[in-house]
Amino acid sequence: MLQHICGKISYVHRDRGETGREWFRITRNADGSRTLRATCELDDEGILRDVVHTVGSDWKPVDSFVRLHSGGVFAGSSWFHFSDTTLACEADLADVGRISQSIAVPQRPDVFAAHPLSSDGWQVSQFDHSREAKRQEILSSHCSPRADGGSGPLAGVNPKALEFLGNEVRSVPAGSFDTRHFLIHTPRDDWPPLELWVHGDDNILVELEWPILHSRYILTDLSMSR
């Protein structure tokens, strides 16, 4: 029987309070893959994002669909497919129409930043705790290079680094959780790292802070069903 994990994340600006929210549902499939369905609202930017994102049993991306509205108007929708040699994207963008992308990659990307906060938690799945190194390089892909994910959606590839800071208990409105504490370092020197706390075998995002957006993102609700 399928297992479903449902939750909500609040986007909290340090000065203005809640400026967005995200509802997510994770399905554990019998073959070990997981599918995330997320809806994200960003009030200040007028962004509405819908995502269906699947990873394999190794947590590497399989395929993803991203649909974006900006200012109440359709901006684009795109389907992404990942293989060991190619990142493919079929896009329909309001400003330029249909686009097909095929980007050669040296390996299947380790992660895909579809821009829900719940999928950011999944990125730490690629940290190898059997290695001594506390900072490890990964190959990342994304649907938008913007911090708010408000462009495209189109495919891109970039390196990242995951840094493990340790285990700690983190308390948020959804409860108290045993978490793994990480930094995600992006290739942009002008961007500080993302700091995040992730819980359990499903890599559920409990909390994330990113100074560039002056915001923290906190889990406010979590439930499980069959």
Side-chain angles (χ1 to χ4, degrees):
M1 182 179 293
L2 292 176
Q3 292 183 313
H4 304 280
I5 300 168
C6 300
K8 182 180 178 183
I9 296 170
S10 179
Y11 304 176
V12 183
H13 190 275
R14 68 183 183 189
D15 298 321
R16 300 192 303 276
E18 185 179 83
T19 57
R21 61 217 55 86
E22 173 179 323
W23 298 267
F24 67 88
R25 183 182 184 93
I26 299 168
T27 301
R28 298 176 182 168
N29 302 308
D31 61 1
S33 65
R34 288 171 169 82
T35 297
L36 168 71
R37 300 164 182 87
T39 299
C40 315
E41 294 180 346
L42 288 76
D43 299 338
D44 292 345
E45 298 84 353
I47 290 173
L48 175 64
R49 180 184 300 110
D50 289 289
V51 173
V52 180
H53 177 50
T54 297
V55 297
S57 58
D58 59 358
W59 284 93
K60 292 190 176 185
V62 175
D63 55 52
S64 191
F65 174 78
V66 179
R67 183 178 180 89
L68 187 69
H69 278 71
S70 181
V73 178
F74 171 76
S77 64
S78 302
W79 174 78
F80 303 83
H81 182 267
F82 306 84
S83 75
D84 294 336
T85 59
T86 306
L87 166 55
C89 171
E90 294 292 332
D92 179 16
L93 306 183
D95 53 353
V96 296
R98 286 292 305 275
I99 295 177
S100 296
Q101 291 179 283
S102 181
I103 300 174
V105 291
Q107 64 179 64
R108 181 188 296 269
D110 295 304
V111 301
F112 179 61
H115 281 285
L117 274 294
S118 45
S119 69
D120 285 338
W122 285 13
Q123 295 189 49
V124 306
S125 65
Q126 297 305 308
F127 188 88
D128 185 354
H129 288 274
S130 69
R131 294 172 52 192
E132 291 186 4
K134 296 301 183 183
R135 177 168 172 156
Q136 301 175 12
E137 301 293 326
I138 62 171
L139 179 63
S140 176
S141 54
H142 59 79
C143 67
S144 170
R146 282 177 42 172
D148 62 7
S151 62
L154 285 172
V157 178
N158 62 277
K160 283 182 180 177
L162 302 175
E163 182 178 356
F164 179 59
L165 300 182
N167 300 313
E168 63 181 84
V169 175
R170 202 73 178 175
S171 295
V172 293
S176 294
F177 299 89
D178 295 322
T179 68
R180 302 182 303 284
H181 186 190
F182 287 88
L183 297 177
I184 298 179
H185 299 271
T186 75
R188 290 190 52 163
D189 293 336
D190 57 333
W191 281 8
L194 293 80
E195 185 174 12
L196 67 164
W197 294 261
V198 175
H199 169 70
D201 294 337
D202 294 288
N203 292 305
I204 296 169
L205 182 80
V206 172
E207 187 172 356
L208 184 149
E209 295 187 9
W210 198 12
I212 195 167
L213 295 179
H214 310 295
S215 295
R216 59 194 291 258
Y217 306 87
I218 52 175
L219 186 68
T220 58
D221 188 58
L222 186 67
S223 63
M224 183 178 297
S225 64
R226 291 182 179 270

